Every structure is written in C-alpha cells, then in structure tokens.
Amino acid sequence: GKVGAPYYYQWGGTGPYGFDCSGLVQTAFAAAGKYLPRTAAQQYAAAPVHVPISQARRGDLLVWGSPSNFYHVAIYLGNGQVVQALNPQEGIGVTQLSAMAGMQLYPYAARY
C-alpha cells in the first residue's frame, strides 16, 4: 500500500509521509500486528528463522551487506521481486532482484 510514497532517510524514515528501507519494513509488519526493531541489522537478527535465499517465501526479509554491516532490507514478494525503499529517486517500489545485481545480497533471508 506504500508503493509510490517517497523515500526519507534524513528525517528518520518511519512514515507516515515517507520511509527509508527499515522504516518501511517496520511499518508494514506493524500493520500486520508484528513489531520489528528499527534497523536492517536488528530486523535480521531478531527474526526467529533464517533460510537460504533459495527457500525464501513471500514476506521474508532480504538484506544486503554482511552480518556486521547490513545496509539495506526489503520484503520479498516472490518471483524474484521485492518491495523496498531503495533511494530518494525511486521512492517506494517493486524491484526485480536482478536489477540490484551491483549490491551485495546476503545469501540468507529472515522469516518472522
């Protein structure tokens, strides 16, 4: 429901007018009644289950970077797509994972 909303990092990115990546994830899960921590690293670490990307399901969290420095998080939609707040130019949108080939996708997804 937030596709098309602007990306805001500099103001905290937790909505309701705009989101950064982890703010979008936090807000989406809160709407479903599930509290998640604020940052990508905290969201990944708090997940009760971690699965290989090959086993990712709709609603799992994908992260970019390394466990000591996850710098991006998105919600997996299935079919190689995520919904995310990537940058100010794109705002919130649905993106093919193949279009993010230059980023460092971590090989495990987080499942709540």
Side-chain angles (χ1 to χ4, degrees), residues 13-92:
T14 57
Y17 303 109
F19 300 88
D20 62 14
C21 64
S22 58
L24 174 66
V25 168
Q26 188 181 47
T27 299
F29 276 73
K34 181 69 179 170
Y35 172 78
L36 270 65
R38 176 64 181 94
T39 69
Q42 292 167 338
Q43 290 169 354
Y44 185 85
V49 177
H50 297 97
V51 298
I53 291 289
S54 61
Q55 297 174 21
R57 301 191 298 218
R58 183 177 180 92
D60 287 350
L61 302 184
L62 304 186
V63 291
W64 284 259
S66 63
S68 62
N69 187 28
F70 288 130
Y71 59 85
H72 185 60
V73 62
I75 302 169
Y76 189 61
L77 297 177
N79 298 317
Q81 295 182 316
V82 293
V83 63
Q84 65 181 342
L86 184 59
N87 60 48
Q89 292 76 33
E90 295 182 31
I92 296 169

